[in-house]
Amino acid sequence: PWDLYDSVQRAKPKGGPGATAAGLKLYVRRVFISDDADELLPRYLSFLRGVVDSDSLPLNVNREMLQHHASLRTIKKKLVRKALDAIKKMADDEAACSGDSSSGDDDKEKPTGDACKAFGTFYKEFGRALKLGVLEDDNNRGRLAKLLRFHTSKSPKELTSLTGYVGRMKDGQKSIYWIAGMSQQEVAHSPFAEKLVAEGYEVMYLTDVLDEYVMQQLTEFEDFKFVNIAKEDVDMSPEAEGEVSRRV
């Protein structure tokens, strides 16, 4: 839909009342070129602010040249990688603070203070941008999926990761179960969810307008298929757990 993420698609005012701070400022060999180098970032990362200093672009580069210059793809790829690495670092710090880190590096000093809260603060403001990235960035979809957070039947108050969900799965479970609705209360009281929860399975509660579109793109995570329990019959017998059939 055209309004998936209004704050990203909305045009930036150019000066005057309501104008926003520029995104990336572009320099070429320390010579200022532009304060609106939007072409260097994918749409879902347009909230980033910073400076790019390139040695591979000509000093007389303009917007039209920038769009077609051979170096643009390389610069953009490096910027995306650095941005996702920085976001992942915040997520890893949060996991280490909560004792959920899977790095296996027990000797590493655990982060404290603001570092433990940084990812939660970031996700509250820009979590929907990461979801938009899942929809638009095929090359980084797997990395972005690990950064997504959801409420579930076992984590109704605190957001949890897909990695956390997989780590709590029952022995023999082959699918990641989810249900979408207008509110967490609505989906939690769905008979589909209540049935699985009663059997000890965890169900993801998807209440954001983007979530169902995200599921259409992901389809699976770490070899576990996503299953919409409101649209598919789930056979919970031990010999057939995870097998589903489409509801009519």
Side-chain angles (χ1 to χ4, degrees):
W2 61 271
D3 60 348
L4 277 182
Y5 194 45
D6 290 343
S7 61
V8 171
Q9 292 186 309
R10 191 178 299 118
K12 296 180 181 178
K14 301 295 183 180
T20 59
L24 293 183
K25 298 180 185 295
L26 175 63
Y27 288 74
V28 175
R29 294 185 285 278
R30 299 188 180 183
V31 176
F32 175 74
I33 302 298
S34 171
D35 63 355
D36 191 19
D38 293 339
E39 296 85 356
L40 296 178
L41 284 174
R43 187 173 63 145
Y44 72 93
L45 291 177
S46 62
F47 59 84
L48 292 177
R49 302 291 181 264
V51 173
V52 176
D53 191 0
S54 173
D55 292 328
S56 58
L57 294 171
L59 285 171
N60 63 342
V61 66
N62 55 36
R63 181 175 293 275
E64 184 176 356
M65 291 175 60
L66 184 62
Q67 291 175 342
H68 302 286
H69 199 278
S71 297
L72 176 63
R73 182 175 296 180
T74 300
I75 295 173
K76 188 172 184 178
K77 184 177 180 179
K78 289 182 177 180
L79 289 175
V80 171
R81 184 175 67 246
K82 286 182 176 293
L84 295 185
D85 283 346
I87 298 171
K88 180 181 181 298
K89 175 62 166 57
M90 289 191 293
D92 289 345
D93 285 347
E94 179 189 65
C97 292
S98 62
D100 295 332
S101 177
S102 58
S103 63
D105 190 355
D106 296 332
D107 296 330
K108 185 177 179 180
E109 184 178 352
K110 288 188 177 181
T112 59
D114 292 343
C116 294
K117 303 176 182 178
F119 183 74
T121 301
F122 167 84
Y123 198 85
K124 183 178 180 180
E125 295 295 327
F126 302 112
R128 300 191 79 216
L130 300 182
K131 293 177 183 179
L132 187 68
V134 170
L135 302 182
E136 298 184 342
D137 190 346
D138 295 344
N139 293 329
N140 290 293
R141 184 168 293 145
R143 296 188 68 190
L144 288 162
K146 293 180 179 180
L147 298 172
L148 299 181
R149 299 292 186 267
F150 303 95
H151 288 108
T152 73
S153 56
K154 293 186 177 180
S155 185
K157 294 183 179 180
E158 300 293 332
L159 292 169
T160 189
S161 65
L162 293 173
T163 301
Y165 179 105
V166 169
R168 294 187 295 270
M169 290 173 65
K170 294 181 63 175
D171 291 341
Q173 185 175 338
K174 300 177 182 179
S175 303
I176 298 174
Y177 302 117
W178 64 271
I179 186 170
M182 297 297 294
S183 69
Q184 188 171 325
Q185 182 178 12
E186 174 190 326
V187 293
H189 288 90
S190 162
F192 304 121
E194 289 180 335
K195 177 182 177 181
L196 285 183
V197 171
E199 294 288 336
Y201 291 93
E202 185 170 9
V203 178
M204 291 169 47
Y205 298 150
L206 308 188
T207 57
D208 187 285
V209 66
L210 292 178
D211 289 342
E212 288 192 78
Y213 297 103
V214 168
M215 290 297 107
Q216 291 173 13
Q217 293 297 324
L218 286 180
T219 67
E220 65 178 36
F221 179 78
E222 295 185 359
D223 297 327
F224 295 103
K225 290 182 60 178
F226 287 100
V227 171
N228 180 356
I229 61 174
K231 293 185 178 180
E232 299 177 80
D233 290 312
V234 182
D235 187 344
M236 306 310 300
S237 61
E239 63 276 7
E241 195 283 311
E243 294 184 5
V244 298
S245 60
R246 180 72 59 177
R247 285 197 178 93
V248 179

